[in-house]
Amino acid sequence: MLPLKLLAAMYGLLIGSFLNVIIHRVPREQSFVTPRSKCPKCSNLIKWYQNIPVFSYLVLRGKCANCKNPISIRYPLVELLIACIAILLFPDNLSLDAFVNYICLFSIACLFVAMFLIDVEFHLLPDKLNLALLIIILPYAFLTTSIANMALGFLIGFGGTYLITYLFYKLRGQIGLGGGDIKLFGVLGILLGPEGILQCIFFSALVGSVIGIILIASGKMNKNKPLAFGPYIIIVATVQIYFPKYFELINIYNLN
Ligand SMILES: [Zn+2]
């Protein structure tokens, strides 16, 4: 099993490296396939051997080989985090079912990391990433829950939060949730089902207001500026999907 976990770790490092490209380019509306990676400061093309996950960062001591400007520590950290997730989720006995489960859960985790970091930096949950999440969650939900659960979860996640946001806007003239948040709730509703998505909405609003109040009180955030809500949705959904024993009320997770 150890060689397989080592392989999973290396796969995680490579995927982490690719996620770094997505995190940088998708919110800037650049293609994540072409062109080759460049230093954002001096536009020097990064050679393949300067682009080896974690290793190149250490060899270059965190500086661009050309202009010596610092490279963000986020790059190796994302690569290491994704490698850890790849190992931690790796199943102990590898059947086809377990492997499919693993790929789905790992892909969802990767998208959560990308969406979290993009929303913190840009206050944006890109449609492309919500769509990618939908493409993974749809078949995974088919394997783990009923179609009625999926449909109701989506209806509450998307329709419910859309309606609340619309009413809030009509009554107060303020935009509560962004479109990206509403779409994320819709996609998550498909996997979490009606009860799960209600819990997700409730707890992310709770966590968001508590942290928001702390940030405003400590002067780290302006209360007139909109708050990035995606990270709180992602934190709560992560607990629901990966640590379900804390959310025992959700029926679909009690099946096994
Ligand atoms: Zn440079």
Side-chain angles (χ1 to χ4, degrees):
M1 209 27 81
L2 196 65
L4 278 180
K5 288 209 174 176
L6 210 66
L7 211 65
M10 285 167 64
Y11 172 71
L13 285 175
L14 286 175
I15 297 292
S17 182
F18 177 60
L19 269 191
N20 276 324
V21 176
I22 288 184
I23 293 164
H24 183 81
R25 292 190 185 174
V26 168
R28 294 176 172 84
E29 308 226 322
Q30 299 165 343
S31 159
F32 53 84
V33 189
T34 52
R36 294 218 350 245
S37 294
K38 284 187 283 191
C39 165
K41 310 260 166 56
C42 70
S43 297
N44 189 48
L45 271 185
I46 296 168
K47 298 182 182 69
W48 69 267
Y49 57 84
Q50 294 162 345
N51 210 1
I52 301 166
V54 183
F55 177 80
S56 292
Y57 183 86
L58 295 175
V59 170
L60 293 168
R61 293 170 190 222
K63 287 180 215 137
C64 166
N66 185 51
C67 68
K68 307 292 177 203
N69 269 308
I71 302 167
S72 168
I73 183 91
R74 194 180 75 194
Y75 291 89
L77 287 183
V78 166
E79 287 155 0
L80 281 176
L81 174 65
I82 300 299
C84 289
I85 294 172
I87 298 174
L88 287 174
L89 289 176
F90 202 81
D92 288 327
N93 42 355
L94 201 57
S95 60
L96 181 64
D97 273 5
F99 188 69
V100 170
N101 209 43
Y102 171 65
I103 294 297
C104 289
L105 286 175
F106 175 71
S107 309
I108 294 170
C110 288
L111 284 167
F112 275 7
V113 170
M115 292 169 108
F116 185 98
L117 292 173
I118 290 173
D119 202 14
V120 167
E121 192 180 352
F122 294 90
H123 286 204
L124 173 81
L125 288 173
D127 278 349
K128 277 189 186 129
L129 296 187
N130 266 325
L131 186 66
L133 194 64
L134 176 71
I135 290 169
I136 297 158
I137 276 185
L138 213 51
Y140 185 56
F142 265 112
L143 298 173
T144 50
T145 183
S146 69
I147 293 188
N149 258 334
M150 290 164 67
L152 259 178
F154 174 78
L155 215 67
I156 295 172
F158 185 81
T161 54
Y162 185 92
L163 194 70
I164 293 170
T165 306
Y166 176 79
L167 290 176
F168 195 69
Y169 179 72
K170 283 280 161 201
L171 294 172
R172 303 273 309 270
Q174 283 175 312
I175 295 174
L177 286 172
D181 302 320
I182 295 172
K183 289 172 201 161
L184 178 59
F185 273 131
V187 175
L188 288 172
I190 296 173
L191 180 63
L192 297 172
E195 275 179 67
I197 196 62
L198 278 174
Q199 287 172 335
C200 186
I201 295 167
F202 175 76
F203 283 105
S204 49
L206 186 70
V207 175
S209 358
V210 170
I211 295 181
I213 287 168
I214 293 171
L215 287 178
I216 289 167
S218 61
K220 290 209 170 71
M221 201 179 82
N222 184 337
K223 67 167 175 256
N224 297 317
K225 264 188 159 169
L227 157 124
F229 194 61
Y232 308 115
I233 307 174
I234 290 166
I235 289 169
V236 174
T238 299
V239 179
Q240 289 181 289
I241 295 169
Y242 299 93
F243 306 94
K245 65 175 178 186
Y246 298 106
F247 277 90
E248 236 132 46
L249 287 169
I250 305 167
N251 297 326
I252 60 166
Y253 296 107
N254 295 336
L255 286 177
N256 28 357

